[in-house]
């Protein structure tokens, strides 16, 4: 005797959060049942595995039907097919769009193309996240990317409006979209120590300060593309390292300001020119797309690693960068104060975020 | 031109992509009513078009308004090829025709396609202007209100309950027409949906006409069904109870136009100039067509309140003599019985589809009466004259009526009809509860009825085939007309349990005792009914769902042989189901069943029987004895060991069940009780008819001491199986209760947390023919148990909760498939409050005062005066039966006639089966020992659901949510307005079954779609809930090899608007209407 058909439909759609999570995690029905059995639910509810299987199947089917709507959350809110209380709707959406740290670290900054999607099985093996779940997360990235890519207005707000996500999650997606668009390199071994949160903070800074949106709030793609004019202008900062006088003057100002305030004063003094050269070189090269991609690698190689080897602590880094930025104002020969601050303000925030003790 | 229908198409959203190239759609809308069609402009390249059309106006007859659905089709414009249909919306505009209903219908409707399901939504506004005055449009029965609710709707008061109305219309099924071979499945489905919509509109209009003729203005307990007879056609039939309803004045009333004030309604009610174009087709004299095959009724049956299965064929003499007063009831009781009886006997069918009555309306309940008949379907040759079907139902109704009489009852309440069809065989079933209704409610007719009665009664007395010959006829009607013993027991809540029949001429062997509450009247030991537990009933503890399940194999045959085989199986099945029910009832230490529904489903090679009911412990009835197991061969010691083990298990379970259901009636010592205890400790023997050795019942000591035990003798496999099934029924998990009635006695404080659901399962049995009957039985029982288990698991987050109105529907769609569909509602209750309430609310007056509106309902029954004598003579004369035989069919005129004059080819088998029944009935009796009782005032836990409705801690008022419930009320809320009946029929088909997630995915989506469409219609009417929701049909067919499936679903309910009590409390209390309105009415109104 076999069950051919087995459905349960409630006027209010019944949703079991645990099963939803298992489904999102990409477990097959059988695996999900096994996991639920292990959780001791059979004893708790005094029931049998076949009941559990039926229940799991039912939920999976409902989720599959909901998935179509979850691809466009405003539809889920307006649709008439499933009656779901608003808090539950919010939960469904939020969880569906939540992504996992190991996964996002693999994909962040990669082109959201079919090629990347093909490589997801490697990602799956590496991260121990099921391929199904990887695909969902990847498709979410891609979907959000496609929808907001060409939209006017602030990125986070656009994401929020079109996908009804929480502030935090919308911010994270903004980072993903931003990284994917500029294809920042995040996968190098040197960057492995960085978390997604680090990158998300950097992305927020970059979006706020370096994109078109920072100057023109009505431009297309304002928050996605970097302000090319600004990148062009960054070449002008080169004077800070090419002009010997300026460089020395800058160094002495910083040293004066920091004397006695940092533990690693001598190391700082000796490596000042290297560090300054590193930072300015990054700036001047940003006009090249390839160098934009390597921004984080460069920041680590040119600044963070030297500091680390000299055992600077975060406080030292902070003080140094603050003074390094501020003292440039006192350089009479340096005419690019605005540009300088737009550049350094962001670089400083990024470095501080990326500098782990 | 009596009406103008106005439609405006506002916008669409979430439309599907119809043009792959642009990923967009060029949508426009066709609005069709009758033969008129309007179109909107094309809204190019959008999935969310804004048409904002003008108001399309249709000038139509009111008859069309009632029959035709408004049809809205959304299409994709295509310049080069034919426009593609996206989907349709059918809108029944009937709710707009009632003078007090919604003025406008406006909202988002899902766009539905029978192949693709829901494809986006459309915003539509519909208005109806009726030009003429009320009087005129009443001729087409516009404005007669329909309610699915099986009780007087909450914001109305019944002025008069006129009685039974029925109608059926037939047509050819479009799916079976020749044209179906050349048209697309979509066209075929749409033709079917449209036809059924038309037919149900027509049916409703015709019923409405009958109601107007009777002087009513509403139909309550309206039950409409479709019989998909395949080749032979499509039958849409409906039954209901005609009433004159008055709207209770509250805030809603003030919104009504002045012309529709309730008092005016009443005056206009009798006004009907319509020459009645409807053939009043039911009746015993309907001519029968020769080509009709009909079989002698497989089983005419009545279930009563005894453990023994009773066939009324044994008791025709009591059937007729039931009008005579019993000794126990005293002379006055006899008189009033005659009065009421005469009043009811004048009507053709004194049936009521209602299951809940205002307190005091139901005087006595006799027991369940049911009738079944097996018919061979034949093509309906002339759709305009559906006599054959009408005649079939008329037969069944006559049988029910006579069963009712045999139980000393003049009316049948909780009446329902159903069919089961397989190929060309059809089982027609009807059942109800024989009852005596309060003659106070018949005031205007009672005096006249009494005199009439005496005249007509004597000649109608006719005793056929009486074996005993003697007939005790106590005519003691000379005393005063006041009703004795009504008031007192009424307040005690035991009156309805008292037997309505004559003790000395009991229609079946039952064991009577004095009522355990009032100690004055006789009560049976067990009571079976199809109704809801009366509000005033004194109940001990809580109830539970009890099911009897049965599977019987049969040979795969054709035509007459098949029908005969089924006819022969039916009595055995009924008997088995009854035994199972009785055993399970005893096992739960309960003594009454409510809401009993026995469904017998016919398939190609088997028959399924499923009886569901809610078991209760009625305080007035004696405590049930235990179940005693006895063995046939006591010599074997291991066998005895086995038996005593079983006995122990059963005893343990009874004790456990007493705890679970809180059944602890206090023991009352016999000395305290005084003398009027009847022959108590008599011991009678029990044997099962199947066993040859019926005489060697062992006289084991009963483990229940002095108490009576119900003896189960295990001397054959059947009995072992019975006991096994008794013990394997899984107990409901803690925190759950379940019942198939609307409310669970003993639970009073429902919260507003409710979840209605439908669950469908289909099982495949492999090699049915090679399976044993026991195995099948167990398999079927397991299926039901498992389904319940799954429900409990799924709803575990709602604990403590009760599954109410659990409604099982069993079908055998194919050879080896069993389909079970369950619809129910889970309601969370407040555990702590429950105990509090049950202790406090013993005061009945308090209870009644708080019961919402109920106390204001005034019932009267209007009589149609016919000559009773002629009717009875016709019914009982053998010549009548003979006539019918000549015309090629054998009629179940009365049980007596049926048994006596079986001359059909199936007669022999029938006679045999009736003889076997006879033995069975003789065989089974009950032992009874000492009496246990309780005083109702101390420990009774009356139904205080109405009170509970007023106290709910939770309030969630989201405007978008539409509640659906099979109950007639929303817990913790007050119904402010009834917006009209919802009656929808949908077909869904797929040719890509695998892609839609297989059969489960397909059906899951379809059921969700049906819910969505119901909710959308309710919301558009301005409502926020559907009450008395029922899924009447779910026909599922699949062909996995072709990757195809098709499903038909029919649902109905009442759209309402409710406000949560928590929201109301802040508002000023509404003034309540009382007898004032009634005073305004015409002369026949009674308070």
């Amino acid at each position: 005797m076999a069950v051919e058909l087995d459905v349960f439909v409630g006027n209010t759609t019944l949703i079991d959060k645990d099963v939803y999570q298992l489904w999102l995690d990409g477990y097959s029905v059988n695996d999900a049942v096994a996991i639920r059995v292990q959780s001791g639910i059979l004893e708790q509810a005094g029931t049998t595995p076949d009941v559990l299987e039926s229940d799991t199947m039912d939920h999976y089917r409902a989720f599959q039907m909901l998935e179509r709507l979850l691809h466009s959350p405003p539809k889920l809110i307006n649709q008439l097919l499933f009656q779901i209380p608003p808090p539950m709707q919010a939960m469904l959406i939020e969880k569906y769009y939540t992504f996992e740290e190991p996964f996002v670290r693999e994909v962040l900054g990669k082109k959201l193309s079919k090629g990347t999607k093909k490589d997801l099985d490697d990602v799956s093996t590496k991260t121990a996240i099921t391929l199904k779940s990887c695909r969902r997360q990847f498709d979410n990235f891609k979907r959000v990317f496609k929808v907001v890519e060409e939209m006017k207005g602030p990125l986070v707000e656009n994401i929020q409006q079109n996908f009804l996500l929480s502030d935090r999650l919308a911010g994270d997606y903004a980072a993903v979209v931003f990284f994917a668009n500029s294809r920042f390199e995040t996968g190098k071994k040197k960057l492995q120590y960085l978390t997604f949160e680090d990158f998300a903070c950097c992305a927020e800074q970059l979006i706020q300060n370096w994109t078109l949106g920072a100057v023109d709030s009505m431009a297309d793609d304002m928050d996605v593309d970097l302000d090319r004019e600004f990148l062009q202008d960054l070449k002008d900062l080169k004077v800070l390292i090419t002009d010997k006088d300026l460089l020395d003057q800058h160094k002495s100002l910083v040293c004066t300001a920091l004397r006695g305030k940092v533990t690693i004063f001598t190391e700082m003094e000796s490596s000042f020119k290297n560090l300054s050269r590193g930072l300015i070189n990054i700036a001047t090269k940003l006009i090249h797309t390839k160098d934009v991609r390597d921004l984080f690698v460069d920041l680590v190689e040119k600044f963070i690693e030297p500091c680390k080897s000299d055992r600077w602590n975060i406080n030292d880094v902070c003080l140094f960068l603050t003074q390094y930025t501020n003292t440039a104002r006192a350089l009479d020969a340096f005419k690019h104060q605005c540009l300088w601050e737009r550049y350094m303000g962001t670089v400083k925030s990024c470095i501080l975020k990326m500098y782990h003790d | 031109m009596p009406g103008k229908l106005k439609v405006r198409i506002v916008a669409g959203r979430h439309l599907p992509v119809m043009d792959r190239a642009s990923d967009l759609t060029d949508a426009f809308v066709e609005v069709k009513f009758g033969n008129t069609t309007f179109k909107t402009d094309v809204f190019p390249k959008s999935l969310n078009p804004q048409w904002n059309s003008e108001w399309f106006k249709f000038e139509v007859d009111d008859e069309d308004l009632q029959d035709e659905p408004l049809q809205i089709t959304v299409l994709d414009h295509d310049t080069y090829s034919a426009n593609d249909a996206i989907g349709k919306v059918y809108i029944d505009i009937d709710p707009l025709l009632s003078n007090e209903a919604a003025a406008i219908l406006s909202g988002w409707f899902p766009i539905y396609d029978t192949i693709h399901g829901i494809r986006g939504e459309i915003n539509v506004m519909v208005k109806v202007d009726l030009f003429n005055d009320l009087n005129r449009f009443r001729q087409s029965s516009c404005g007669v209100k329909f309610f699915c609710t099986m009780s007087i709707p909450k914001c109305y008061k019944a002025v008069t309950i006129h009685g039974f109305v029925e109608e059926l219309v037939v047509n050819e099924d479009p799916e079976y027409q020749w044209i179906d071979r050349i048209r697309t499945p979509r066209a075929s489905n749409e033709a079917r949906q449209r036809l059924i919509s038309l037919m149900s509109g027509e049916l409703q209009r015709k019923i409405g006409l009958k109601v107007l003729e009777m002087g009513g203005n509403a139909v309550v307990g309206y039950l409409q069904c479709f019989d998909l007879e395949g080749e032979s056609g499509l039958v849409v039939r409906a039954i209901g109870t005609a009433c004159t309803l008055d709207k209770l004045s509250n805030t809603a009333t003030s919104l009504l136009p002045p012309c529709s004030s309730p008092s005016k309604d009443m005056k206009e009610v009798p006004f009907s100039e319509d020459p009645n174009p409807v053939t009043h087709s039911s009746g015993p004299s309907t001519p029968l067509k020769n080509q009709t095959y009909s079989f002698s009724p497989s089983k005419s049956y009545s279930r009563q309140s005894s453990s023994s299965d009773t066939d009324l064929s044994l008791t025709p003499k009591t059937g007729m003599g039931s009008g005579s007063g019993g000794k126990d009831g005293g002379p006055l009781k006899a008189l009033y019985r005659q009065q009421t009886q005469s009043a009811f006997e004048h009507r053709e069918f004194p049936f009521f589809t209602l299951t809940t009555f205002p307190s005091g309306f139901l005087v006595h309940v006799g027991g369940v009466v049911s009738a079944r008949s097996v018919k061979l379907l034949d093509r309906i040759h002339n759709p305009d004259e559906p006599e054959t079907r009408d005649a079939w139902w008329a037969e069944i109704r006559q049988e029910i009526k006579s069963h009712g009489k045999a139980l000393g009852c003049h009316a049948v309440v909780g009446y329902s009809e159903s069919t089961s069809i397989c190929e060309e065989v059809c089982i027609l079933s009807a059942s109800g509860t024989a009852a005596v209704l309060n003659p106070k409610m018949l005031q205007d007719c009672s005096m006249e009825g009494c005199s009439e009665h005496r005249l007509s009664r004597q000649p109608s007395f006719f005793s056929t085939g009486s074996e005993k010959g003697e007939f005790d006829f106590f005519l003691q009607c000379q005393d005063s007309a006041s009703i004795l013993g009504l008031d007192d027991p009424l307040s005690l809540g035991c009156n309805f349990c008292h037997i309505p029949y004559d003790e000395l001429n009991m229609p079946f062997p039952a064991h009577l005792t004095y009522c355990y509450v009032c100690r004055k009247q006789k009560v049976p030991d067990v009571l079976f009914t199809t109704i809801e537990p009366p509000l005033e009933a004194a109940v001990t503890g809580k109830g539970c769902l009890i099911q009897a399940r049965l599977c019987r194999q049969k040979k795969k045959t054709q035509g007459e042989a098949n029908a005969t085989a089924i006819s022969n199986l039916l009595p055995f099945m009924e008997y088995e189901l009854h035994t199972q029910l009785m055993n399970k009832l005893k096992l739960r230490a309960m003594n009454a069943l409510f809401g009993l529904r026995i469904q017998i489903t016919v398939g190609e090679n088997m028959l399924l029987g499923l009886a569901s009911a809610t078991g209760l412990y009625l305080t007035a009835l004696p405590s049930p004895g235990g179940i005693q197991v006895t063995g046939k061969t006591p010599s074997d010691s291991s066998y005895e060991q086995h038996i005593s083990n079983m006995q122990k298990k059963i005893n343990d379970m009874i004790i456990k069940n007493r705890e679970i259901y809180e059944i602890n009636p206090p023991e009352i010592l016999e000395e305290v009780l005084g003398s009027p205890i009847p022959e108590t400790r008599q011991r009678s023997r029990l044997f099962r008819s199947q066993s040859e050795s019926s005489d060697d019942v062992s006289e084991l000591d009963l483990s229940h001491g002095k108490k009576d035990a119900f003896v189960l003798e295990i001397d054959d496999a059947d009995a072992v199986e019975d006991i096994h099934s008794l013990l394997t029924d899984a107990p409901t998990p803690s925190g759950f209760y379940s019942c198939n009635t609307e409310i669970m006695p003993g639970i009073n404080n429902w919260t507003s947390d409710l979840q209605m659901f439908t669950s469908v399962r289909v099982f495949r049995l492999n090699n049915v023919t090679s399976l044993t009957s026991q195995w099948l039985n167990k398999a079927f029982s397991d299926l039901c148990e498992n389904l319940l288990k799954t429900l409990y698991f799924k709803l575990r987050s709602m604990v403590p909760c009760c599954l109410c109105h659990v409604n099982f529907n069993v079908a055998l769609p194919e050879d080896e498939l069993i389909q079970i569909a369950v619809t129910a509602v889970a309601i969370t209750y407040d555990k702590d409050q429950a105990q509090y309430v049950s202790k406090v609310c013993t005061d009945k007056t308090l209870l009644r005062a708080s019961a919402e509106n109920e106390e204001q309902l005034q019932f009267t029954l209007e009589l149609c005066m016919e000559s009773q004598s002629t009717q009875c003579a016709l019914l009982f004369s053998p010549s009548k039966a003979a006539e019918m035989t000549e015309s090629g069919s054998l009629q179940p005129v009365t049980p007596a006639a049926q048994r006596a004059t079986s001359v059909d080819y199936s007669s022999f088998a029938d006679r045999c089966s009736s003889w076997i029944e006879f033995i069975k009935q003789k065989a089974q009796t009950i032992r009874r020992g000492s009496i246990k009782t309780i005083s109702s005032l101390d420990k009774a836990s009356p139904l205080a659901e109405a009170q509970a409705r007023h106290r709910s801690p939770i309030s969630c008022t989201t405007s978008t949510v539409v509640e659906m419930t099979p109950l007639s009320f929303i817990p913790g809320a007050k119904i402010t307005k009834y917006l009209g009946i919802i009656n929808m029929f949908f077909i869904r088909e797929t040719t890509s079954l695998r892609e839609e997630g297989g059969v489960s995915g397909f059906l899951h989506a379809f059921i969700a779609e049906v819910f969505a469409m119901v909710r959308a219609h309710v919301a558009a009417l301005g409502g926020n809930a559907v009450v008395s929701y029922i899924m009447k049909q779910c026909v599922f067919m699949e062909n996995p090899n072709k990757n195809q499936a098709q499903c038909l679903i029919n649902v109905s309910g009442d759209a309402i608007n409710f406000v949560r009590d928590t929201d109301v409390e802040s508002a000023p209390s509404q003034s309540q209407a009382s007898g004032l309105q009634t005073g305004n009415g015409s002369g026949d109104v009674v308070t």
Side-chain angles (χ1 to χ4, degrees), chain A residues 1-12 14 16 41 52 54-55 58 61 65 78 80-81 83, chain B residues 13 755-764 790 793-794 796 962 964 999-1001 1004 1012 1015 1038:
Chain A
M1 187 177 62
V3 179
E4 286 244 323
L5 183 159
D6 178 9
V7 297
F8 175 99
V9 190
N11 181 37
T12 304
L14 268 186
D16 184 316
I41 195 165
L52 202 62
S54 151
D55 177 65
D58 233 24
R61 212 167 31 237
M65 282 187 251
N78 283 325
L80 304 175
L81 188 56
Q83 185 159 270
Chain B
R13 68 181 181 195
Q755 167 72 286
M756 189 281 296
F757 59 84
T758 292
S759 185
V760 182
R761 280 193 181 187
V762 175
F763 301 88
R764 183 173 290 282
T790 312
F793 179 74
K794 282 198 170 286
R796 65 194 186 285
V962 175
M964 290 168 77
V999 284
S1000 295
H1004 193 138
R1015 287 193 301 257
E1038 59 168 324

Side-chain angles (χ1 to χ4, degrees), chain B residues 864-876:
Chain B
C864 48
M865 293 297 178
E866 284 172 32
S867 165
Q868 182 204 16
S869 55
T870 46
Q871 199 180 20
C872 287
L874 197 65
L875 281 175
F876 286 85

Side-chain angles (χ1 to χ4, degrees), chain B residues 968-1007:
Chain B
S968 62
F969 60 94
I970 304 272
K974 192 180 172 69
I975 296 174
T976 53
K977 201 171 180 187
Y978 281 81
L979 300 160
I981 195 168
I982 298 281
N983 191 354
M984 297 168 104
F985 178 86
F986 297 105
I987 302 177
R988 179 87 149 79
E989 189 166 345
T990 185
T991 48
S992 52
L993 190 57
R994 275 186 295 275
E995 294 78 359
E996 294 196 32
V999 284
S1000 295
F1002 172 72
L1003 194 62
H1004 193 138
F1006 185 36
I1007 293 174

Side-chain angles (χ1 to χ4, degrees), chain A residues 155-156 178 200-216 222-227 342 346 349:
Chain A
L155 185 58
V156 179
F178 183 75
C201 284
C202 298
E204 198 187 338
Q205 290 299 319
L206 295 173
I207 292 167
Q208 266 174 24
N209 301 306
W210 287 9
T211 58
L212 279 171
V215 281
D216 175 8
M222 55 175 250
D223 281 351
V224 188
D225 290 335
L226 293 175
D227 182 356
R342 188 173 173 191
T346 307
S349 309

